[in-house]
Amino acid sequence: MFKVDRLRFGTAGIPLSTPKPSTINGIARVRELGLDAMELEFVRGVNLKPELAKKIKYVAKKNDVLLTAHAPYYINLNATEKAKVEASKKRIIQSAERLYDAGGWSVVFHAGYYLKQDPAKVYEKIKGEIQDIVRNLQDRGIEVWIRPELTGKPTQFGDLNELIRLSEEIEMVLPTIDFAHAHARNKGRCNTIEEWREMLSLMEDRLGREALDNMHIHISGINYGEKGEKNHLNLQESDMRWEDLLRVLKEFRVKGVVISESPNIEGDAILMKKKYEEIRV
């Protein structure tokens, strides 16, 4: 598995300022902006051909841009219909395959919904399906991190404890920590230095230093209510204490990728990278 040398910053998808938008032009634009990561957005489906993925790999390597991918939104590993579960698994597997072809590192997905079922039973069901996915990929030598995401609504599977436990129990699995989602899911909590230290300490205690050396992070502003996440906002239009968060990431010597999911994707990615570089701990 690829070793990440530092904490890299990038965009969720092709930067908005990319002339003639395409994945290849987007990677070049990321480099021009002084960023060093980009998330391939497979959110409507995995429509990247293997031949193009190989070209993307070359361009990303040449520009020193680390690639991650976001699997399609239409995923529920706890769906009641078997066909929906199988289709969900296929989407995650396809995302991992294409990302691997493109020389990428880590694929993120929303694992599923509780559907008013017992969370312990939902955990076992989702765990079994992710084990299947990992087995399928390992059998074919496809090595990328498989990352269930910390989700923004209490109705969605994926609180921090569930994700840490999955990571303890399944190889190739680590969480994607979406700090905006943690903030929204917990109705405004998870927004202080103490809470973030607690989250990272818990990960390090249970998953070891490897988890902090390979973090896949999403950060944005977020609008939320009683039911959790409503929509993403730009950092400076939100109540996220993002500068404090970056300080904690530096304090814990976190390596990996921070992906900006704000509406102004590259604006906030650049803002975070500059701020991070100024911090002395």
Side-chain angles (χ1 to χ4, degrees):
M1 194 78 80
F2 181 88
K3 287 270 182 287
V4 193
D5 51 348
R6 60 185 182 270
L7 192 59
R8 291 164 169 262
F9 290 80
T11 55
I14 298 160
L16 304 174
S17 58
T18 308
K20 297 184 182 159
S22 71
T23 302
I24 284 175
N25 291 344
I27 292 166
R29 182 65 182 144
V30 160
R31 174 44 59 208
E32 282 169 11
L33 293 167
L35 298 168
D36 44 16
M38 190 175 98
E39 194 144 285
L40 304 175
E41 297 293 320
F42 295 146
V43 294
R44 302 271 173 265
V46 185
N47 49 13
L48 176 61
K49 299 277 183 289
E51 307 72 53
L52 181 56
K54 289 186 173 64
K55 288 179 188 162
I56 289 167
K57 179 177 182 174
Y58 170 77
V59 174
K61 199 169 178 183
K62 191 176 82 167
N63 286 284
D64 187 27
V65 171
L66 186 58
L67 298 179
T68 58
H70 199 307
Y73 286 145
Y74 308 110
I75 285 171
N76 184 5
L77 298 176
N78 186 44
T80 42
E81 304 92 326
K82 188 165 172 50
K84 281 190 182 170
V85 174
E86 290 307 315
S88 296
K89 283 156 70 173
K90 191 174 171 188
R91 289 182 182 118
I92 297 167
I93 288 166
Q94 282 180 331
S95 300
E97 285 170 344
R98 286 298 158 271
L99 180 68
Y100 183 70
D101 289 342
W105 175 71
S106 179
V107 62
V108 53
F109 59 95
H110 305 163
Y113 292 82
Y114 295 114
L115 306 176
K116 300 187 174 155
Q117 296 164 14
D118 171 8
K121 285 187 178 149
V122 175
Y123 176 86
E124 289 305 328
K125 169 93 171 86
I126 286 178
K127 176 187 160 184
E129 304 303 352
I130 294 177
Q131 280 172 322
D132 255 9
I133 290 165
V134 168
R135 209 172 293 125
N136 178 306
L137 295 169
Q138 278 184 323
D139 286 351
R140 294 180 296 131
I142 294 169
E143 279 207 341
V144 293
W145 288 109
I146 303 302
R147 306 264 193 174
E149 183 172 348
L150 201 163
T151 47
K153 293 178 182 165
T155 53
Q156 295 171 300
F157 176 88
D159 70 18
L160 183 60
N161 282 306
E162 288 169 330
L163 301 184
I164 287 175
R165 201 176 142 204
L166 282 174
S167 305
E168 284 175 323
E169 294 176 359
I170 315 172
E171 277 184 88
M172 282 174 71
V173 171
L174 280 178
T176 287
I177 303 296
D178 187 318
F179 285 100
H181 282 172
H183 182 43
R185 185 185 184 97
N186 293 287
K187 299 175 193 169
R189 288 178 39 244
C190 295
N191 200 25
T192 64
I193 286 174
E194 293 71 27
E195 287 167 306
W196 292 319
R197 280 179 181 151
E198 204 175 301
M199 288 170 78
L200 294 177
S201 297
L202 184 65
M203 285 180 67
E204 188 167 24
D205 289 348
R206 291 196 30 206
L207 301 175
R209 187 64 219 178
E210 182 184 45
L212 299 193
D213 284 341
N214 289 283
M215 280 194 77
H216 186 159
I217 296 166
H218 286 169
I219 301 178
S220 67
I222 200 151
N223 181 19
Y224 55 90
E226 271 306 298
K227 293 178 179 175
E229 173 189 13
K230 287 185 177 176
N231 57 285
H232 288 209
L233 301 169
N234 295 333
L235 288 171
Q236 292 173 312
E237 292 156 22
S238 75
D239 69 353
M240 275 295 284
R241 293 179 180 157
W242 59 275
E243 293 182 47
D244 286 347
L245 172 54
L246 293 175
R247 185 172 295 282
V248 173
L249 294 177
K250 196 152 211 179
E251 184 186 312
F252 276 77
R253 305 187 322 280
V254 164
K255 294 178 190 172
V257 173
V258 172
I259 295 295
S260 161
E261 287 197 318
S262 299
N264 68 341
I265 47 175
E266 63 257 57
D268 276 0
I270 293 164
L271 187 67
M272 287 191 284
K273 186 169 188 278
K274 283 188 175 154
K275 184 71 202 171
Y276 181 81
E277 286 165 356
E278 288 165 9
I279 294 167
R280 299 282 169 268
V281 292

